[in-house]
Amino acid sequence: GQQLNQSPQSMFIQEGEDVSMNCTSSSIFNTWLWYKQDPGEGPVLLIALYKAGELTSNGRLTAQFGITRKDSFLNISASIPSDVGIYFCAGLNTGKLIFGQGTTLQVKP
Amino acid sequence: GAGVSQSPSNKVTEKGKDVELRCDPISGHTALYWYRQSLGQGLEFLIYFQGNSAPDKSGLPSDRFSAERTGGSVSTLTIQRTQQEDSAVYLCASSSTRDSQETQYFGPGTRLLVL
């Protein structure tokens, strides 16, 4: 089946640093999404990308939809302690979300 | 309600028992989805419902898993004869339309532990 490869698996950074994570797929997706999941909660949508090549920002978050429609990256600038959590990429395929394995982010104050 | 709600929040059961997990979607949302998240893993699609259409069951891992949605609102995911590998967080999501750009909103999940 379709799979998304997300990297890195985990990151431990200092507060104030920038973070970058990415996702690749062997299949094309027409919509890419980035979610954040806090412990004990369901995923919450951060950014949605609908067009190949699109670059979208949401506060300190920036995400891009790769031109081939097979990849995407998420950048977080000037990280803060509340950025801690698990970040998932997801591709939308006929209503179903296909998720990456997640990137666990830890921020040291 | 304001968001997707799920119950119970935690469930511990013995191997071989049946369990029922409940999802209340956001009012007015026509599409409802079930996902499973194993420890340290991403979410795995199980099944989704859209209005009165036949559900897409392509993600159900075995015939022990079934789901229904009554009255186009509340959904129940049933796992029969539970196995230890069924232990996971079961997440429900809803959206206002299917095959669209509408956001899927997730509930907090039910944490299932099969002993």
Side-chain angles (χ1 to χ4, degrees):
Chain A
Q2 289 180 302
Q3 286 187 324
L4 297 186
N5 295 310
Q6 185 172 348
S7 64
Q9 185 176 5
S10 63
M11 302 181 75
F12 189 88
I13 62 170
Q14 195 78 30
E15 181 178 1
E17 290 183 348
D18 297 344
V19 172
S20 184
M21 58 193 79
N22 68 81
C23 236
T24 60
S25 170
S26 57
S27 305
I28 288 173
F29 288 100
N30 291 321
T31 300
W32 280 85
L33 305 144
W34 285 91
Y35 283 85
K36 183 191 178 198
Q37 186 176 29
D38 292 326
E41 303 290 331
V44 174
L45 182 67
L46 298 175
I47 289 182
L49 302 158
Y50 303 114
K51 188 176 178 181
E54 178 182 359
L55 184 71
T56 297
S57 294
N58 178 10
R60 294 179 296 107
L61 278 62
T62 301
Q64 184 157 31
F65 190 159
I67 195 71
T68 64
R69 293 189 284 160
K70 292 184 177 181
D71 62 292
S72 177
F73 71 75
L74 175 70
N75 287 342
I76 306 173
S77 62
S79 58
I80 60 178
S82 62
D83 290 335
V84 166
I86 305 176
Y87 293 78
F88 291 99
C89 61
L92 185 63
N93 178 10
T94 59
K96 297 175 282 193
L97 288 175
I98 309 299
F99 283 84
Q101 305 96 323
T103 295
T104 300
L105 178 63
Q106 298 181 66
V107 180
K108 183 178 180 181
Chain B
V4 178
S5 59
Q6 293 186 243
S7 61
S9 54
N10 293 280
K11 177 71 176 179
V12 180
T13 190
E14 293 180 346
K15 177 181 173 181
K17 295 283 180 68
D18 298 350
V19 295
E20 286 189 352
L21 312 179
R22 177 187 168 106
C23 172
D24 282 272
I26 293 173
S27 178
H29 278 190
T30 57
L32 185 148
Y33 314 78
W34 283 98
Y35 294 86
R36 176 170 71 174
Q37 185 175 28
S38 300
L39 186 64
Q41 299 294 316
L43 283 73
E44 172 192 13
F45 167 78
L46 297 177
I47 185 171
Y48 77 79
F49 300 86
Q50 168 57 25
N52 296 321
S53 302
D56 180 341
K57 305 179 182 181
S58 60
L60 295 179
S62 78
D63 59 8
R64 296 186 295 105
F65 288 73
S66 63
E68 61 179 24
R69 189 179 185 193
T70 54
S73 181
V74 171
S75 176
T76 301
L77 177 69
T78 301
I79 309 174
Q80 296 177 307
R81 305 180 302 281
T82 52
Q83 303 294 313
Q84 289 181 333
E85 60 263 29
D86 298 335
S87 297
V89 178
Y90 290 82
L91 290 150
C92 175
S94 70
S95 68
S96 59
T97 57
R98 174 206 157 183
D99 286 344
S100 76
Q101 298 176 352
E102 293 297 328
T103 300
Q104 292 186 24
Y105 294 89
F106 283 83
T110 293
R111 282 145 194 81
L112 175 67
L113 177 61
V114 181
L115 301 176

